[in-house]
C-alpha cells in the first residue's frame, strides 16, 4: 500500500525545498534566511497595483506555507516521507510529535486504514462466477454410420450440459465483523439445484500470531472457523469447518482442515508456491499437484501442472494473459485418464469470473489435443489483432489526450504564476544589478531552462525552453548564486515547460568583466561563479 501511496504523492507534490531554494538538509537558520528574503520580495504591501498585489499575496502565502511545514520538525518529517498530501490526512494532531520516520510511516498507514474502514460502510464487494459446460465429444468420438442415419446429416451434436451461477455480497457490520450473503444455482443434464448461504465473518486479530521461532516478519500461523446451516427438503443440515495453517518457511504452508456435515472429512495438505513453481500435496485423497509457472514482461503466464490421486492422473498446460486493465483471459488444456481431453476457457474481469469448460473427448486422441491447443491460440491471435489491439490503442490515445489537456492546463497555470513572479521581481532585480555592476560582480546575461535540442538527428524536434534570466538574477546574493539539487521547476519565476522530459539549465553570465557559460542538469546542484565556466577569449 505504501508504494502506491508514494507514487500518488510524488505526482501531486509541490516541492517546498525548491520553492525556498534550500537543501533537504537545510538548518532552521538557512530556512529563516531564505524565508525572510522571499517575504521581502513578495510582501503584498510593497505593491500598489491591485493585480500585482493579488499575485504577491498568492506567492507570499505559498512561501509562508512552505516555511511553516519545513520549520516544524514533526511536519517536516511527514512531508519528507509522504509529501504534501501526507499532511492532509486527518489524525496527525493527536500523534505524538517525537516519532522516527519509521514510526511516522506506521502511524500514517494506521490512519489510512481507519479512513478505509469508514469507506467500508458503503461497499458491498460483489463477487460472481458463471460457468457454462459444453459437451463437444461428438467432434471426436462420433460414429460416422450413426450420424448418417440421423436427420441433418453428419453434423456433430454440441450441447450445453451444465451451468453454474454463483454470486455473493458483503456488508460490513463493524470494523471486524462482516456479513456475507451468497447463493448459487447449478444444473447438469436436466437436473438442478441451488442454495443460499448467510455467513458472519469476524477478524479477531489484524496482526496474527508471531512465534519466537519465526525468522521473518510474515504470518507464522492462523486459525479459521466457520459454521453453517443449510435449508433443504430434508430439513436443516448444519455444517462446521475448522482450518489451521502454519508457515513452514517463506514459500511453504501446511494446512490441517476438518469438516463436519454432509461431506465430513479431515484433510492434511502441504503447499509450496514460488515465482516459478507451485506444489500441492493433500493426504486425504492422495492428491498431488506440481505446477510450473513462467511469466514474461507482457504479463503473459505459461503454466504446466501434473495432478495425481485416486481419480487418476491429469496433465494440464495453458496460458494466461492480461488483455486490459481489469481483464485476464486464460486457456487450459486438461488431459487425463479416465477424464479424457477438456479445454477450459476463463475470463476474469474485476470481481466477476466467466468459465467455459469444453469437454472434447473421453479418450486420449492426438487430434483432440492438437485442436484444443492450436484452436484457442489461433482464435486469440485473430481477436487480439482485430479487436484487442485497436481497442487498447484507442484507450491509450484517449488517456494521452486527457493527460495532454490536463498537462496543458497545469502548464498554463504554472506559466501564469511564473510570469506574475517575474513582474514582482523587476524592481528587486534592478537594484541587485546596480549593486553588482558597481563592484563588477555577478550579472546574469541570459538564462534558459527546459529541453534543449542539440543532436543533429533531432533537428525536427522543437526545443522547449523558457527565459529565466530575471528569476536567477533575483537569487544572486553577494555576487554568488547557489542552487540546490532539487528540481529547478519549483523555483520562483520558473515552471516546467516539458513535463516528463529531461531538462537542463543554460547560463551565460558575467563576473569581473569576464564572460562565463555553464550548462547544468535539472537536479544537479549549481554554484557560480566558477573559474571552470570561463569562456576563453580568442586572440
Amino acid at each position: 500500500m505504501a508504494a502506491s501511496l508514494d507514487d500518488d504523492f510524488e505526482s501531486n507534490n509541490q516541492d517546498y525545498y525548491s520553492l525556498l531554494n534550500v537543501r533537504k538538509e537545510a538548518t532552521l537558520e538557512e530556512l529563516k534566511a531564505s524565508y525572510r528574503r522571499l517575504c521581502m520580495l513578495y510582501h503584498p504591501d510593497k505593491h500598489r497595483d491591485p493585480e500585482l498585489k493579488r499575485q504577491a499575496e498568492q506567492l507570499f502565502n505559498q512561501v509562508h506555507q512552505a516555511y511553516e511545514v519545513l520549520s516544524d520538525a514533526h511536519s517536516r518529517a511527514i512531508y519528507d516521507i509522504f509529501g504534501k498530501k501526507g499532511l492532509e490526512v486527518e489524525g496527525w494532531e493527536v500523534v505524538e510529535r517525537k516519532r522516527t520516520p519509521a514510526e511516522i510511516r506506521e502511524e500514517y498507514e494506521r490512519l489510512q486504514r481507519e479512513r478505509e474502514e469508514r469507506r467500508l460502510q458503503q461497499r458491498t464487494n460483489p463477487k460472481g462466477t458463471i460457468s457454462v459446460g459444453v459437451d463437444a465429444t461428438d467432434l471426436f468420438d462420433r460414429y460416422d454410420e450413426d450420424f448418417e442415419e440421423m436427420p441433418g446429416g453428419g453434423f456433430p451434436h454440441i450441447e450445453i450440459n451444465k451451468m453454474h451461477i454463483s454470486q455473493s455480497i458483503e456488508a460490513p457490520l463493524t470494523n471486524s465483523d462482516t456479513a456475507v450473503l451468497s447463493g448459487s444455482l447449478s444444473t447438469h443434464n436436466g437436473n438442478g439445484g441451488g442454495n443460499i448461504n448467510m455467513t458472519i465473518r469476524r477478524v479477531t486479530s489484524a496482526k496474527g500470531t508471531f512465534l519466537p521461532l519465526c525468522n521473518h516478519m510474515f504470518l507464522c500461523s492462523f486459525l479459521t472457523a466457520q459454521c453453517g446451516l443449510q435449508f433443504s427438503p430434508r430439513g436443516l443440515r448444519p455444517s462446521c469447518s475448522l482450518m489451521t495453517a502454519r508457515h513452514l518457511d517463506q514459500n511453504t504452508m501446511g494446512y490441517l482442515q476438518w469438516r463436519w456435515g454432509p461431506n465430513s472429512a479431515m484433510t492434511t495438505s502441504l503447499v509450496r508456491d514460488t515465482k516459478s513453481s507451485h506444489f500441492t500435496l493433500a493426504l486425504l485423497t492422495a492428491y498431488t499437484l506440481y505446477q510450473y509457472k513462467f511469466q514474461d514482461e507482457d504479463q503473459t503466464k505459461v503454466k504446466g501442472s501434473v495432478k495425481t490421486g485416486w481419480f487418476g492422473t491429469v496433465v494440464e498446460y495453458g496460458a494466461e494473459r492480461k488483455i486490459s486493465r481489469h481483464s485476464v483471459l486464460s486457456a487450459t488444456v486438461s488431459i487425463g485418464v479416465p477424464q479424457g481431453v477438456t479445454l477450459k476457457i476463463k475470463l476474469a474481469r474485476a470481481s466477476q469470473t466467466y468459465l467455459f469448460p469444453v469437454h472434447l473427448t473421453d479418450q486420449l486422441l492426438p487430434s483432440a489435443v492438437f485442436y484444443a491447443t492450436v484452436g484457442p491460440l489461433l482464435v486469440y491471435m485473430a481477436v487480439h489483432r482485430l479487436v484487442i489491439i485497436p481497442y487498447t490503442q484507442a484507450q491509450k490515445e484517449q488517456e494521452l489526450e486527457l493527460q495532454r489537456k490536463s498537462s496543458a492546463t497545469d502548464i498554463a497555470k504554472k506559466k501564469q504564476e511564473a510570469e506574475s513572479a517575474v513582474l514582482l521581481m523587476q524592481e528587486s532585480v534592478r537594484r541587485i544589478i546596480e549593486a553588482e555592476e558597481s563592484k563588477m560582480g555577478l550579472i546574469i546575461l541570459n538564462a534558459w531552462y527546459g529541453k534543449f535540442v542539440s543532436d543533429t538527428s533531432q533537428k525536427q524536434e522543437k526545443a522547449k525552453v523558457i527565459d529565466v534570466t530575471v528569476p536567477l538574477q533575483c537569487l544572486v546574493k553577494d555576487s554568488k548564486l547557489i542552487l540546490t539539487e532539487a528540481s529547478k521547476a519549483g523555483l520562483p519565476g520558473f515552471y516546467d515547460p516539458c513535463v516528463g522530459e529531461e531538462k537542463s539549465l543554460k547560463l551565460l553570465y558575467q563576473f569581473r568583466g569576464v564572460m562565463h557559460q555553464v550548462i547544468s542538469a535539472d537536479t544537479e546542484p549549481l554554484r557560480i561563479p566558477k573559474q571552470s565556466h570561463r569562456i576563453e577569449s580568442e586572440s
Side-chain angles (χ1 to χ4, degrees):
M1 182 180 78
S4 61
L5 290 171
D6 291 343
D7 294 340
D8 181 55
F9 295 146
E10 288 176 4
S11 62
N12 295 279
N13 183 26
Q14 180 183 10
D15 194 343
Y16 288 156
Y17 292 99
S18 179
L19 180 62
L20 298 179
N21 191 30
V22 293
R23 302 173 296 115
K24 287 196 173 182
E25 302 80 14
T27 62
L28 186 58
E29 288 72 20
E30 291 174 331
L31 289 171
K32 285 181 179 179
S34 178
Y35 173 63
R36 288 170 182 168
R37 187 179 184 191
L38 291 174
C39 283
M40 292 177 62
L41 178 63
Y42 297 133
H43 202 286
D45 294 344
K46 296 180 60 177
H47 306 279
R48 296 181 179 179
D49 183 87
E51 181 62 24
L52 289 179
K53 191 178 184 69
R54 184 189 64 80
Q55 295 169 355
E57 286 178 353
Q58 183 178 359
L59 292 170
F60 183 83
N61 290 335
Q62 292 180 6
V63 172
H64 180 68
Q65 183 183 22
Y67 176 73
E68 277 193 334
V69 171
L70 299 185
S71 60
D72 181 82
H74 183 66
S75 299
R76 185 173 179 175
I78 298 171
Y79 175 79
D80 287 343
I81 298 173
F82 298 107
K84 186 178 178 181
K85 282 204 169 182
L87 300 168
E88 300 173 0
V89 176
E90 299 176 358
W92 284 122
E93 62 278 1
V94 298
V95 177
E96 184 183 355
R97 300 181 69 82
K98 295 180 180 179
R99 292 291 186 96
T100 64
E103 291 172 334
I104 290 175
R105 178 177 288 273
E106 182 180 353
E107 188 66 27
Y108 177 81
E109 291 177 353
R110 183 188 68 80
L111 294 173
Q112 285 291 89
R113 285 196 299 269
E114 290 180 356
R115 187 168 64 176
E116 289 297 325
E117 287 168 357
R118 291 193 294 267
R119 293 178 181 175
L120 281 177
Q121 303 301 325
Q122 301 176 349
R123 293 183 180 178
T124 57
N125 193 23
K127 297 179 182 179
T129 301
I130 298 177
S131 178
V132 179
V134 179
D135 185 0
T137 54
D138 283 348
L139 289 172
F140 301 96
D141 293 343
R142 64 179 182 177
Y143 293 95
D144 293 338
E145 56 271 16
D146 293 339
F147 274 89
E148 290 176 359
E149 298 175 359
M150 294 177 60
F155 290 101
H157 183 62
I158 300 175
E159 63 179 3
I160 296 176
N161 61 350
K162 58 183 177 180
M163 181 178 291
H164 175 79
I165 301 175
S166 64
Q167 187 74 30
S168 68
I169 57 174
E170 299 181 359
L173 304 177
T174 65
N175 291 338
S176 58
D177 297 332
T178 304
V180 182
L181 179 64
S182 60
S184 65
L185 292 172
S186 299
T187 177
H188 181 63
N189 291 331
N191 299 318
N195 63 74
I196 297 177
N197 297 321
M198 177 70 178
T199 306
I200 304 295
R201 184 175 65 231
R202 162 164 285 194
V203 179
T204 58
S205 174
K207 296 182 178 179
T209 304
F210 290 91
L211 302 181
L213 297 178
C214 295
N215 296 322
H216 304 278
M217 293 296 290
F218 52 74
L219 189 63
C220 293
S221 62
F222 63 88
L223 176 70
T224 60
Q226 182 176 352
C227 296
L229 194 62
Q230 183 178 1
F231 296 88
S232 66
R234 299 179 182 179
L236 297 178
R237 306 178 67 181
S239 62
C240 183
S241 67
L242 187 68
M243 184 183 70
T244 180
R246 179 181 174 84
H247 269 285
L248 303 180
D249 60 35
Q250 191 171 1
N251 299 311
T252 307
M253 286 286 294
Y255 296 90
L256 181 62
Q257 184 177 17
W258 172 75
R259 294 194 306 271
W260 174 80
N263 299 313
S264 299
M266 190 167 185
T267 307
T268 303
S269 57
L270 183 69
V271 178
R272 180 172 179 81
D273 193 7
T274 64
K275 291 183 178 180
S276 60
S277 63
H278 180 89
F279 175 80
T280 301
L281 174 64
L283 298 183
L284 173 67
T285 57
Y287 171 80
T288 303
L289 164 66
Y290 179 79
Q291 185 179 73
Y292 178 78
K293 299 180 290 185
F294 169 78
Q295 182 174 358
D296 63 7
E297 296 180 356
D298 295 330
Q299 296 183 329
T300 300
K301 297 180 181 179
V302 178
K303 299 181 180 181
S305 64
V306 178
K307 301 178 184 178
T308 181
W310 300 117
F311 52 81
T313 300
V314 177
V315 177
E316 290 187 348
Y317 59 89
E320 176 184 295
R321 184 178 177 86
K322 189 173 183 179
I323 58 176
S324 69
R325 182 178 301 176
H326 304 290
S327 301
V328 177
L329 180 65
S330 64
T332 304
V333 179
S334 178
I335 307 170
V337 177
Q339 291 83 1
V341 181
T342 302
L343 171 64
K344 301 175 183 178
I345 307 296
K346 179 181 177 182
L347 174 64
R349 180 168 177 81
S351 59
Q352 302 295 318
T353 302
Y354 306 91
L355 182 62
F356 303 92
V358 182
H359 189 53
L360 299 177
T361 175
D362 294 325
Q363 306 175 47
L364 297 182
L365 298 179
S367 58
V369 175
F370 175 79
Y371 286 110
T373 304
V374 178
L377 184 61
L378 295 177
V379 172
Y380 172 77
M381 292 175 63
V383 173
H384 185 262
R385 180 175 293 273
L386 299 177
V387 179
I388 296 177
I389 290 180
Y391 175 76
T392 54
Q393 286 180 346
Q395 290 290 103
K396 288 180 179 179
E397 289 177 359
Q398 291 179 1
E399 292 177 0
L400 288 174
E401 183 63 26
L402 291 175
Q403 290 178 1
R404 280 194 291 265
K405 291 181 179 179
S406 176
S407 177
T409 303
D410 185 62
I411 290 177
K413 180 180 177 182
K414 295 294 183 182
K415 181 180 179 181
Q416 183 179 3
E417 292 178 356
E419 291 174 348
S420 300
V422 170
L423 289 175
L424 299 173
M425 294 175 184
Q426 295 294 341
E427 183 62 26
S428 297
V429 168
R430 184 184 62 79
R431 292 196 301 267
I432 292 173
I433 292 177
E434 289 178 355
E436 293 295 324
E437 285 179 343
S438 64
K439 56 184 177 181
M440 296 187 67
L442 178 60
I443 306 296
I444 307 297
L445 301 177
N446 281 304
W448 301 91
Y449 172 72
K451 180 181 179 181
F452 297 89
V453 179
S454 57
D455 192 351
T456 55
S457 62
Q458 298 178 343
K459 289 292 185 180
Q460 70 279 5
E461 188 174 357
K462 185 179 179 182
K464 302 175 183 178
V465 295
I466 59 174
D467 187 351
V468 291
T469 306
V470 172
L472 288 182
Q473 185 68 64
C474 193
L475 294 174
V476 173
K477 183 180 181 181
D478 298 331
S479 299
K480 293 179 182 179
L481 174 63
I482 301 175
L483 301 179
T484 66
E485 69 277 3
S487 174
K488 310 302 183 292
L491 290 171
F494 280 63
Y495 70 94
D496 193 343
C498 46
V499 179
E501 300 183 48
E502 292 186 3
K503 295 169 284 292
S504 56
L505 178 64
K506 186 175 182 180
L507 274 165
L508 178 65
Y509 64 92
Q510 181 178 329
F511 181 68
R512 293 179 180 175
V514 180
M515 303 293 290
H516 296 68
Q517 184 174 344
V518 61
I519 297 178
S520 173
D522 185 26
T523 55
E524 179 183 352
L526 179 65
R527 186 185 184 97
I528 61 174
K530 274 190 176 182
Q531 185 68 23
S532 58
H533 300 163
R534 183 170 178 172
I535 301 176
E536 298 295 338
S537 59
E538 298 181 0
S539 54

